[in-house]
Amino acid sequence: MDEERIEALRKELHQHNYNYYVLNEPTISDYDFDMKMRELQELEAMHPEWFDPNSPTQRVGSDLNQAFKQVTHKYPMLSLANTYSTEEVADFYQRVKSGLEGEDFEIVAEMKYDGLSISLTYIDGNLKQAVTRGDGVQGDDVTANVRTIRSIPLKLKEGSGYPHEFEIRGEILMPWTSFEALNREREAREETLFANPRNAASGTLKSQKSELVASRKLDAYLYYLLLPENSNTQPAQMDLFAETENNRLSINTHYDGLIMARKWGFKISEGMKKCHNLKEIIDFINYWDTERKNLPVATDGIVLKVNSLQQQNHLGYTAKSPRWAIAYKFKAERACTRLNEVTYQVGRTGAITPVANMDPVQLAGTTVRRASLHNAGVMKELDLHIGDMVYVEKGGEIIPKVVGVDIAQRKHDAQPVLFIDKCPECGTPLVRYDGEAAFYCPNDTGCPPQIKGKIEHFISRKAMNIDSLGPETIDDFYQRGLIHDVADLYTLSVAQISNNNKNRAVSATKAVEAIRASLSVPFERVVYAIGIRFVGETTAKLLARKFTSMESLQNATVSQLMQVDGVGEVIARSVVDFFANPVNREIIERLRLYGLTMKISEEQINNKSDMLAGQTIVISGVFRHHSRDEYKSMIEENGGKNSASISYKTSFILAGENMGPSKLEKANHLGVRIIEEEEFLEILNQRNVNTES
Ligand code: IVH
């Protein structure tokens, strides 16, 4: 019954995952998928005795902090020798040819994926372990994180003839679309952007929280199957193959291995091709040099591998890499053009970005006139002079960048480019904050791009969520002199917005209504919305809970602020400076007058909710922020039940430091989640916010 249903649902959901993430051919609606997933989650919750770490429900990850275990690779993870020219490819071809003493051979050409390598071990069709490359000898056990990657099968396809135990290696990547979306979100939160999808994938996979990994939508391509020679197929498959006299899995070539792996359920290299001569290889390279731009993930070259495993063995390895393979790296596209001027952009936080303005030049299919110089340090290193011939590249990054100067072409009287010391928009002397690469314009209340930026931030989804306004409308209002700061938004009338134009009355009414609706946005989001430098969403929440009203936040001292977890001196000073500025104080006063929420709600103060209803929680260890008794009452006030011993019924363990080893072992054995103190407080905090909004 239940057990059979669980098994059936797991199987079905694995298949749908495969159809969607590997084949790109879903056969079920998202809604139906979610319904089945929910049914499985409910059944699994009722039957913890049938827990399976490879159940499709485990793809969502957990918010448990995990320290990665170090694992020694069974076979070291080698790297490949790189080449950058087709001449070197020809040399490689010749080396293979002479190494094989005239034997015929094939070369498999495939994409070189630009992510981070991973080694996966499967036993009896189940994903057992996922380990990063590390130093090639030892890597991190990131199995929990890897389980959340939908294109990696947790269970292999039944009856597909996989071996009892094997290892397969490949690359974990963040697809371009996920990367761009992630950076957009980070930009909105004023967090540093990832330079390229590889860094983003690597940062994500190393995250301590698999839940975060699950949300980042990683992908994986597998390109290297390691089989013990002529390994036995798993017992269940023996019968299946007995009739065909093929009860031993015998794979002789790299290519066949990957085709097999595809049958077992893996996503393998796109456009893999067996080449029989050098020309075919060069054609493949040239074709993919442009075609790769249409792939969903980043690639940085072509890998060439001798196909026959026996020939691979014959050729062997150098100390670092196989002699039977080589990586041809695509050249980052580069152009040379004249630098005419350096201009400076002021971001909404006041950060100054130098921009090179150049003679137009064709690069990777687009005409480039401007390129980022990032910051003063990068600019200084390039030692730019006006009129210099500069090299511009478009690599993994999307925005072109200046990578060098052809000094030989510099005129003797060329003027060096010096970084500005005043804001190009408002003339205020620039400042530099401790530990920051950028210079800033500190005039955050009087510098036009900063004012507009602040208003855009104020209306954004996670702040006041005034979604019927956008950057263009804000710019329009500002140009027309209707708004000078965020408080002005609350004075706008339909007539003003529409400029008494009847055709614009409907949208103007919508805008006014949306502005009014924002009055009910809870306090912590108001704290975020007012745009204190360095105060992101999480810090805003923490500050709101600690100080409970705008008034006490306004009067907080640096040392009081620093008592809040995660608030260091830089943030604390920024808060104090913000409120010390009379312009900001006046804006806050007006916002209060217009009716914005200026204090935390009663329920939040009392920390009461029913969010822990139905949950049985065990407290263990020594705590830092509250006493055990305080935690016990918090659990009860939020509808949860305290229990002294761990059992199947335990929903989670609230763990402080030095949790007893026997408890830890029992928790691991029963698969009970362990939640640390800070995280528990954050959960209470967040859910209280959620129930509010
Ligand atoms: S084969 C022993 N194939 O490139 C050979 N590697 O320096 C094992 N890579 O660390 C690697 N795409 O992370 C192979 N199609 C591909 C690849 C590939 C990307 C990465 C891999 C490796 C590095 C080689």
Side-chain angles (χ1 to χ4, degrees), residues 344-346 350-354 374-375 419-420 423-424 430 438-441:
Y344 299 84
Q345 271 174 358
V346 185
I352 310 286
T353 309
H374 298 284
N375 56 47
F419 203 83
I420 46 168
C423 173
L430 301 181
F439 275 94
Y440 283 85
C441 164

Side-chain angles (χ1 to χ4, degrees), residues 46 167 393 434 548 551 567 658:
M46 279 157 55
E167 187 182 334
E393 258 186 20
D434 242 10
T548 71
E551 210 176 340
V567 174
N658 300 331

Side-chain angles (χ1 to χ4, degrees), residues 135-148:
D135 59 6
V137 177
Q138 273 198 330
D140 284 335
D141 180 339
V142 288
T143 316
N145 285 348
V146 163
R147 282 212 169 92
T148 69

Side-chain angles (χ1 to χ4, degrees), residues 79-80 110-113 117 133 171 223-224 303 305 322 324:
S79 59
L80 297 171
E110 59 196 47
M111 301 316 302
K112 180 166 176 357
Y113 290 102
S117 35
R133 179 173 189 277
E171 203 86 349
Y223 46 63
Y224 189 35
V303 178
K305 298 173 184 165
W324 45 264

Side-chain angles (χ1 to χ4, degrees), residues 456-473:
E456 280 167 27
H457 168 75
F458 185 81
I459 63 169
S460 65
R461 197 166 53 84
K462 292 194 168 149
M464 303 305 284
N465 193 21
I466 308 178
D467 58 358
S468 50
L469 304 181
E472 292 82 27
T473 348

Side-chain angles (χ1 to χ4, degrees), residues 76-82 110-118 133 169-171 221-224 254 258 269 300-305 317 320-322 324-325 327:
M77 283 181 86
L78 299 178
S79 59
L80 297 171
N82 284 328
E110 59 196 47
M111 301 316 302
K112 180 166 176 357
Y113 290 102
D114 192 12
L116 61 149
S117 35
I118 192 81
R133 179 173 189 277
R169 292 178 183 173
E171 203 86 349
Y221 288 82
L222 285 305
Y223 46 63
Y224 189 35
H254 166 68
L258 288 190
S269 175
D300 61 346
I302 297 293
V303 178
L304 303 170
K305 298 173 184 165
Y317 296 80
K320 278 190 293 189
S321 52
W324 45 264

